[in-house]
Each structure stands twice: as structure tokens, then as C-alpha cells.
Amino acid sequence: MADNTDNTVTGAGEANPVPRKSSWRYIGPGIVVAATGVGAGDLVATLIAGSNFGYTLLWAAVIGCLVKISLAEAAGRWHLSTGSTLFDGWASLGRWTTWFFAVYVVIWGFVYGAAAMSSSALPLQALFPDVMDLEWWAIACGLLGLVFVWFNKYAVFEKVMTVLVGVMFVVTVYLAIRVTPNLGDAFAGLLPVLPDEKDSILNTLGLIGGVGGTITLAAYGYWVNAKGWTNTGWMKVMRLDNRVAYITTGIFVVAMLFVGAELLHSANVAIASGDKGLVQLSDILEDEYGSATAKFFLIGFFATSFTSLIGVWHGVSLMFADFVARYRGREGAPASGQEVASGSRERSWPFRAYLLWLTFPPMVLLFQGQPFRLVIIYGVLGAAFLPFLAGTLMWLLNTSRTPSQWRNGPLSNGMLAIAGLLFLVLCVKQIWDQPWSEFF
């Protein structure tokens, strides 16, 4: 969201790159980041917001999309304007960024791997209840994601993600239409009004912050490079792509808020938080509209969960490969954005090692449950990542590390500052809410 939109300045790796016109035929990384960022947890959180408050917090879901647009655009602009990756930028800020990322990505990947596999398994077990237990469905999903990402390059990965996003889109929009939303109340929900309940401000901030992605926002720049976009000639295309990403995300979350408002709020029905809430919703849909609609929803639920799984398997593995390459040093190597575009990172041993880390060690948690202390550390690190991302992007994009033509303008700085403050408040709340007395 930089204020300068002239794409004719010189970018790293190519002198005077020819600007590409914004065109729908180039769209790709945005679809990937939208699919990865919107997981089952995001949908159920939006459902619960709709069931608790009706359409009152529709405006918060919209603002959440705008905030994430600014973060993803900043990450993509750094990659295109400098020819380097986000990890190169972080490393230039000091060794503390390296330590934070290293600890974060190891613990986060271990816990997230189990959560992603379980989330993908839930709708499959509901669709085929007599085939096998949830844990084995989860293992099958993890292995499928591993094999798919291991043997396919970005181009195939993007095509499959696009198909699954199409399934998600059809299912969520169908449900939103089927519940017959009250459009008058929906438009009224665009006015920034807080629910008249305890902790309404923190609940509202949580909804804004939870719309579409955490570390996947940082992975966006890597997918931009993997698409072959490596210089400022692609800046306009990247911005269109990024807007498509969060318009798509907005449609998903608004549609689910409609379902929560009409199907749950009006009937005063409560569902569980977490992925199991979506299984409950399928039972409600079956009672209300028949088994065909319930099964259709479960297919969309699987598409939502599995896109998050393979998106993280690919995107975060790319980031880990870049982290290892930066740690080992690459004197005389080409700019890292071009390395990502060449596909060499997807064939590297760090990429595949992290794929294995996401898949096999977390399987232990499927049978034994998640260790209490590890879950607390995971929650704290996860809460700290988005303030870290917003703060470091502001730092990088306002200094000489970024070519002057592509540094932040007032709009970008304002949006990143809002994002940073929002996520800092949510981080403090997350840390405060942890059961620290039981930790020690």
C-alpha cells in the first residue's frame, strides 16, 4: 500500500524492468495466501461471532481483511523492490531476529503439524465414519500433504490450491445464500458498533486479528518470488493479486458470519470453539436442510483445512530453507528472490527437512495429546509473531534498506502501525491469559 504506483524504477536483479499491466491472468500467490490463511479455526471463530452478536461485528471482519492486505502488500513490496527475501531483511536488523524465528518455527511447526492434520481429518471422519479412527485419517492427510509438496513445484501447487479455493468459495457462498441473510441488518453491521457485553473490545480485536493468516502473511513474498515475480516490474500485478487474496478471504468470513447470524444466532444455538464446532454445524445443517447440504459443507470444510495444511507445508518450508541458506551464508550466490524463483529451494534439503518436521514428529501428539507447557510456549510465540512482522516491516520499509521509490508512504505507515498496535494488544492478552501458575 505504498503511495507510489510507478512501476518503471529499477529493481534488484534487472535494470529498468518492464512494468507488467495488472491482469487477472497473472493472479496466483494471492489465491494461495487466501487459501492457506483461512483455516477451519478462522471459519468457526467467525461463526461464533455471528452466533453471539448477529451482524454487529461484520465491520470488524472487513477491517481484519484490510489490515492483512497492508501486511501482505508490505511483504511482497520488500521482495520485489530489493530482490532479497524477508529473511534477508530480518537478518539485517540483528541476530535477535534469527533467534526468534528459529525458536518460533521449530515449536510452532511441531504443534501446528498435529493441529493441521487433525483439522483435515475431522470432516473426512464425519463423511466416512466407519472407515478408520480420527488419528489415522490425520496421519493420512499429513502423508498426502508431504508427498504432494515433496514431488510438485510451485506451479502445480498453485493450480491445486486454486481448485480447492473454488470448492471453498462455492460451498461458503451457497450456505450464505441458503440461510437467506437479512441484507438490511448486514449493511447495518458495517457501522463500527461494539456489542453491549463484557470484554467486547477484546473480542472485537480478536475477530479483526483472526481474519486470514499468521506466518502465511510472511510467506506471501516467497510465493510471489516462486511465481517468477522478482523485480519492481511486477509491483502493480502483486498489488492486484494481494487485493484479490483478501477480497476472497473477506467473502469466506462474511459468508460464515451470515451463517452464524441466521442459523445459530436467531435460533440461540451455541457451538464449540475450535474445529469440532464445524462438525457440529454439519449436524445442524443436516437437521435444517438435509444430508446433501451437510455433506456438501463437509467437503468445503475439508478443502478449507487441507489448503491450510499444504499451504503451510509449502510456504513455511520455503521460509525455513531461506533461513538455513542465510545462516550458512551464500557469498557469490544470486539474489535470494531469484533463487526462490528458480525452484532450487523446493529441491533443497532444508525445505524437505522441514517438511518432514511438520509431518512425522507431530504424529506423536495425535495419540498422546499436546504437552501442556509446549502448548503455552506455542501460544505465546504465535501471539508475538504478528507484532514482530508488522514492526519489522515498518523498520525495513522506512530505511535505506529499501529503495527510496518503494519505501512506505503515510498510508502504508498508518496501516502497519494500526496492525502492529492491534496485534501487540492481542499478544499481551494472550500472554496474560496463559495459566502461568500451572506452568511452573
Side-chain angles (χ1 to χ4, degrees), residues 192-204:
V193 175
L194 292 174
D196 186 20
E197 295 198 15
K198 182 183 178 181
D199 294 332
S200 62
I201 294 177
L202 289 175
N203 289 333
T204 302

Side-chain angles (χ1 to χ4, degrees), residues 267-290:
N268 197 27
V269 175
I271 61 171
S273 60
D275 300 342
K276 291 183 179 179
L278 294 182
V279 176
Q280 282 183 269
L281 178 62
S282 72
D283 295 335
I284 296 168
L285 287 169
E286 183 170 7
D287 292 340
E288 192 75 20
Y289 302 114

Side-chain angles (χ1 to χ4, degrees), residues 78-98:
W78 166 264
H79 278 247
L80 295 182
S81 65
T82 65
S84 60
T85 63
L86 187 54
F87 200 85
D88 290 324
W90 284 341
S92 74
L93 300 178
R95 190 168 294 179
W96 65 275
T97 60
T98 301

Side-chain angles (χ1 to χ4, degrees), residues 168-357:
M168 293 167 60
F169 185 90
V170 170
V171 170
T172 54
V173 171
Y174 166 77
L175 288 178
I177 294 172
R178 189 67 191 265
V179 299
T180 317
N182 185 319
L183 295 181
D185 288 347
F187 280 115
L190 294 174
L191 295 174
V193 175
L194 292 174
D196 186 20
E197 295 198 15
K198 182 183 178 181
D199 294 332
S200 62
I201 294 177
L202 289 175
N203 289 333
T204 302
L205 292 178
L207 178 61
I208 294 172
V211 177
T214 51
I215 196 172
T216 55
L217 291 163
Y220 177 65
Y222 289 85
W223 286 321
V224 163
N225 287 157
K227 181 75 169 175
W229 306 347
T230 59
N231 58 56
T232 55
W234 292 99
M235 196 70 77
K236 283 185 177 179
V237 176
M238 182 274 293
R239 285 171 171 160
L240 174 64
D241 179 76
N242 180 47
R243 290 174 188 132
V244 168
Y246 283 95
I247 290 171
T248 306
T249 299
I251 291 171
F252 291 151
V253 298
V254 168
M256 294 310 289
L257 191 139
F258 281 5
V259 174
E262 292 295 338
L263 193 62
L264 305 179
H265 181 70
S266 59
N268 197 27
V269 175
I271 61 171
S273 60
D275 300 342
K276 291 183 179 179
L278 294 182
V279 176
Q280 282 183 269
L281 178 62
S282 72
D283 295 335
I284 296 168
L285 287 169
E286 183 170 7
D287 292 340
E288 192 75 20
Y289 302 114
S291 61
T293 296
K295 286 181 170 56
F296 189 49
F297 168 72
L298 287 171
I299 292 169
F301 177 5
F302 173 75
T304 300
S305 298
F306 195 66
T307 51
S308 293
L309 186 152
I310 60 174
V312 166
W313 264 229
H314 187 275
V316 183
S317 297
L318 268 181
M319 294 183 69
F320 183 77
D322 189 46
F323 159 69
V324 173
R326 187 71 176 74
Y327 180 77
R328 296 172 66 192
R330 30 172 137 77
E331 291 80 3
S336 43
Q338 294 175 350
E339 287 181 274
V340 176
S342 72
S344 62
R345 290 289 169 76
E346 294 164 282
R347 300 186 296 271
S348 67
W349 71 261
F351 180 91
R352 290 175 170 174
Y354 194 73
L355 269 179
L356 295 173
W357 174 253

